[in-house]
Amino acid sequence: MADPARARKLADRIQQIVAHLLDTRVKDPRLGFVTITDVKVTGDLQHASVFYTVLGDEEARAGTAAALESAKGLLRSEVGKQTGIRLTPSLDFFLDAVPETAAQLDAALQEAARRDAEVAALAARAAYAGEADPYRKPAEDDETD
C-alpha cells in the first residue's frame, strides 16, 4: 500500500494531465465541454477513477462518455509517460453528479426558506392563548395572602 500523500499527489497529477490532453490532443467531435472534477487513486496505485462533468444535455453526456472510452488508451499511455511511475494505473471514467446534486440542494434550500417565511408570517400574527405572562410574580403572592 502506497503512502496516502503519494496517492493524492498522483491523483492530482493525473487530473492535470488528463484535462490538458482532453484540451489539446483528443480531437473527437463527440467530446463535449468536459471538466475533470476529481481523480481517486486506489491505495496500490493500480486504478484511477476519473470523475468528470459535461455541459449540455443527455446526448452530450453520452457522446462524451463514448469519446472518453475510445481515448482511454491514449490518455493512459500519456499519463504513464508524464508521471514516470513503474506501473501506470488503469483509467476509469465516471460522470460526476455534482451539478444534479447542487440543483437538488438549491431546491431544498429554497423550499426551506419559503417555509421559514411562512412560519415567520404566522408568528407575526400570533396572539397568546391566555395572558402574555402566565407566571405569578413573588410580589403578587404577597398581595393575595
Side-chain angles (χ1 to χ4, degrees):
M1 175 135 178
D3 180 30
R6 181 175 181 214
R8 185 69 242 163
K9 284 173 65 174
L10 179 63
D12 290 343
R13 184 67 183 132
I14 290 172
Q15 181 177 1
Q16 293 170 356
I17 292 169
V18 170
H20 179 72
L21 290 173
L22 289 177
D23 190 37
T24 58
R25 296 260 319 261
V26 178
K27 301 298 181 193
D28 196 328
R30 300 173 292 179
L31 192 64
F33 187 72
V34 63
T35 302
I36 305 299
T37 57
D38 196 16
V39 175
K40 302 283 187 199
V41 178
T42 58
D44 60 357
L45 307 178
Q46 294 297 309
H47 304 284
S49 300
V50 181
F51 296 92
Y52 66 95
T53 59
V54 179
L55 185 64
D57 57 355
E58 194 61 39
E59 183 180 329
R61 291 178 187 156
T64 299
L68 289 173
E69 198 62 35
S70 68
K72 189 184 285 190
L74 169 77
L75 295 172
R76 183 172 182 224
S77 67
E78 284 297 318
V79 165
K81 288 177 188 174
Q82 293 187 27
T83 57
I85 58 176
R86 186 171 61 92
L87 297 172
T88 304
S90 63
L91 301 177
D92 295 318
F93 293 95
F94 297 100
L95 183 63
D96 202 352
V98 169
E100 291 83 11
T101 304
Q104 289 174 351
L105 286 175
D106 190 39
L109 288 172
Q110 288 176 354
E111 178 67 19
R114 183 187 63 78
R115 289 184 182 183
D116 284 347
E118 287 178 7
V119 169
L122 289 173
R125 293 191 318 249
Y128 293 106
E131 297 178 23
D133 188 12
Y135 299 105
R136 298 180 108 186
K137 306 288 187 278
E140 293 176 359
D141 289 340
D142 292 338
E143 293 173 7
T144 57
D145 288 338

